Amino acid sequence: LDLNGNEVLDDNGNRTYVNALPYAKTNATINFKNGSSTTGNNVAAKATAENVYIDDGVASTAKDLAVTALGAATLINADIDFAVLDSTAKVNVEKGAEIKAVAGSADLKAKSLMDITVGASTAPIRLKGYDKAKLPAASTVIVDSDNLAQVTVDGKVSATKDINISAESNSSIDANTSSSTIRDDTPLTGALNLVKGTNTAKVDITSADKIKADENFNINSKSVNSLVSNAAASSSKGAMVTTVNLVDYNSNSKITINNELESGKDLNIKAENTFADNSIVTGSKDGSSKLMSKATNAVLDGFQGTITNIKGLLGLSGEDTRADFFKMLDKASVGASVSFAKESNYANI
């Protein structure tokens, strides 16, 4: 499909295939509607969403789109890759809906998987098992990722054995930039990473009716994360080198219970939020330390307006944030390495 969602045909009317565009949404949702009744010996509802994007260095369509959106005045007038991805998995039991496991267990599960790789692979968890160790790194990488798994129970659920309610969100982001030059006439080289991501697992039990398991009652939310952001640049004979690495990441595992729960045996409630890796590495062997403060202040000034609306920066939403972006780069391109990480990681019951 083209950017407008229309099928692309060749001159003979046959389908053609282009490189995958790096923005996509996946959604898996199960709704038990108001007034519905679901009965079985065992009742199992599982929503699973999976969104995987791997840039192997040949997605020219993506790079052309990024260059068009950002313009020719970017810090690195060369290789640009970006990924804007959403993944959502939900199980909803609406008020007035009823689920009954009359001879066994009731299982309600939502699981969402997000796997983004742009550049060489260093992340320790790989959701799909691809071999990415030899992928080339781009000189500019922009990532915007939202991952959500949620189970909401606002109706009736009962089981003669166990009730298991779980939400699990897995997010792996691997963004690597690399830029170098050996030409004597190159005045500027650099590497730029912008990474924004959310990873949320939520269980909300808000039913006005008591929820009872005759045996065990298990409630779990689990957020699993791997975040790697590397930016490196080098040059020859004193060319100005700038590396900028900005990360805004929020991981949350949350369980909210606003009613009466009862189990005949054990009642287990667990919220987990774990990181397999959380590394942000920025390097420039030619950086000028006396200009570091100026560059850092410029990056912090432009950070909020740029990274909080990456879709606007890329021309994918109504708000245009390119002015903040270019202002930041103009003041930051002074031959320094700048890293900034804004992260929040919670597990709440």
Side-chain angles (χ1 to χ4, degrees):
L1 305 180
D2 63 19
L3 295 180
N4 298 315
N6 301 313
E7 191 173 45
V8 179
L9 304 177
D10 62 19
D11 293 337
N12 297 318
N14 299 315
R15 282 183 177 177
T16 60
Y17 295 89
V18 297
N19 293 312
L21 291 175
Y23 53 91
K25 294 183 179 181
T26 57
N27 188 307
T29 301
I30 299 173
N31 284 319
F32 294 90
K33 304 295 287 184
N34 178 20
S36 66
S37 179
T38 305
T39 303
N41 289 336
N42 296 283
V43 178
K46 183 177 181 180
T48 301
E50 184 173 337
N51 202 343
V52 177
Y53 177 70
I54 302 169
D55 189 335
D56 60 3
V58 298
S60 59
T61 306
K63 293 165 189 172
D64 291 344
L65 183 60
V67 171
T68 301
L70 297 178
T74 50
L75 174 66
I76 299 91
N77 217 355
D79 196 11
I80 301 175
D81 286 348
F82 70 93
V84 178
L85 303 179
D86 293 346
S87 184
T88 302
K90 290 184 177 182
V91 176
N92 300 315
V93 182
E94 295 184 359
K95 183 178 181 179
E98 184 174 13
I99 296 174
K100 295 185 292 184
V102 296
S105 300
D107 297 305
L108 307 177
K109 298 181 179 180
K111 186 173 184 179
S112 184
L113 309 175
M114 178 76 75
D115 190 352
I116 299 174
T117 297
V118 183
S121 174
T122 54
I125 64 172
R126 290 265 63 92
L127 301 180
K128 294 293 290 184
Y130 293 106
D131 180 12
K132 308 171 188 174
K134 297 182 180 180
L135 296 184
S139 53
T140 305
V141 166
I142 301 172
V143 173
D144 188 345
S145 165
D146 293 302
N147 192 35
L148 171 66
Q150 183 174 11
V151 178
T152 302
V153 179
D154 198 24
K156 298 179 181 180
V157 181
S158 62
T160 58
K161 290 187 179 179
D162 298 344
I163 294 178
N164 303 298
I165 301 174
S166 67
E168 181 178 347
S169 59
N170 286 266
S171 177
S172 175
I173 299 176
D174 191 352
N176 291 265
T177 61
S178 178
S179 180
S180 62
T181 179
I182 58 174
R183 292 178 55 186
D184 295 340
D185 59 348
T186 302
L188 172 68
T189 185
L192 168 66
N193 260 14
L194 290 178
V195 177
K196 179 187 177 186
T198 63
N199 190 35
T200 304
K202 294 177 64 178
V203 174
D204 295 315
I205 302 178
T206 58
S207 174
D209 300 292
K210 179 172 70 174
I211 299 179
K212 182 179 179 180
D214 288 353
E215 295 187 5
N216 299 308
F217 202 144
N218 302 302
I219 303 170
N220 294 283
S221 69
K222 186 176 183 179
S223 176
V224 181
N225 307 270
S226 177
L227 173 62
V228 175
S229 181
N230 291 326
S234 62
S235 68
S236 66
K237 296 188 177 181
M240 196 72 78
V241 175
T242 298
T243 52
V244 178
N245 202 347
L246 306 182
V247 173
D248 186 350
Y249 193 82
N250 185 333
S251 178
N252 191 15
S253 175
K254 186 175 183 180
I255 297 174
T256 301
I257 299 170
N258 193 27
N259 71 337
E260 185 178 356
L261 308 180
E262 182 179 337
S263 65
K265 293 183 179 179
D266 294 334
L267 176 56
N268 303 299
I269 304 172
K270 187 177 184 180
E272 298 178 83
N273 187 357
T274 61
F275 273 81
D277 197 356
N278 189 7
S279 356
I280 300 164
V281 181
T282 311
S284 169
K285 65 181 181 181
D286 303 304
S288 177
S289 59
K290 68 180 180 180
L291 300 174
M292 183 67 74
S293 177
K294 177 183 176 182
T296 302
N297 290 335
V299 168
L300 295 182
D301 288 343
F303 179 84
Q304 201 68 21
T306 300
I307 203 167
T308 55
N309 188 6
I310 288 177
K311 293 182 180 68
L313 172 65
L314 294 172
L316 300 176
S317 70
E319 184 178 353
D320 190 339
T321 59
R322 282 175 289 179
D324 290 324
F325 179 74
F326 292 136
K327 177 182 178 182
M328 178 183 69
L329 292 185
D330 181 58
K331 292 185 177 180
S333 57
V334 293
S337 298
V338 180
S339 293
F340 182 72
K342 174 186 176 184
E343 295 190 8
S344 55
N345 309 305
Y346 296 99
N348 298 311
I349 300 175

